[in-house]
Amino acid sequence: MGHLRAFVVTLLALDAVVVVVGTYLLPPDPVTQLFLVGPPLLFAPVVAWWLVYRDGFERVQALVESDGDGR
């Protein structure tokens, strides 16, 4: 049950980021926003699945930590 909860929270967070960024970067035309925000919203479940079920969070954390050690 813990993975499902993490998946749902991650998916909602990704969706919120896509909508907020799309709102600020795109013109206020609904058709343009649909075409440019729609595909990332459809791709968000794949990214959320990778982050939660395929240890994506650990991989991203290791990548960030390896960049931050001064090398």
Side-chain angles (χ1 to χ4, degrees):
M1 191 64 157
H3 284 297
L4 179 61
R5 181 174 294 159
F7 175 76
V8 170
V9 169
T10 304
L11 180 59
L12 290 174
L14 289 172
D15 288 346
V17 168
V18 167
V19 169
V20 168
V21 169
T23 301
Y24 284 110
L25 295 181
L26 297 174
D29 175 31
V31 175
T32 303
Q33 287 187 355
L34 178 66
F35 282 118
L36 296 177
V37 174
L41 286 177
L42 293 175
F43 190 62
V46 175
V47 175
W49 177 83
W50 178 77
L51 286 170
V52 174
Y53 291 105
R54 296 306 238 168
D55 298 327
F57 282 120
E58 287 81 11
R59 293 178 189 183
V60 171
Q61 183 179 6
L63 183 66
V64 169
E65 287 176 353
S66 69
D67 287 345
D69 64 1
R71 292 184 193 179

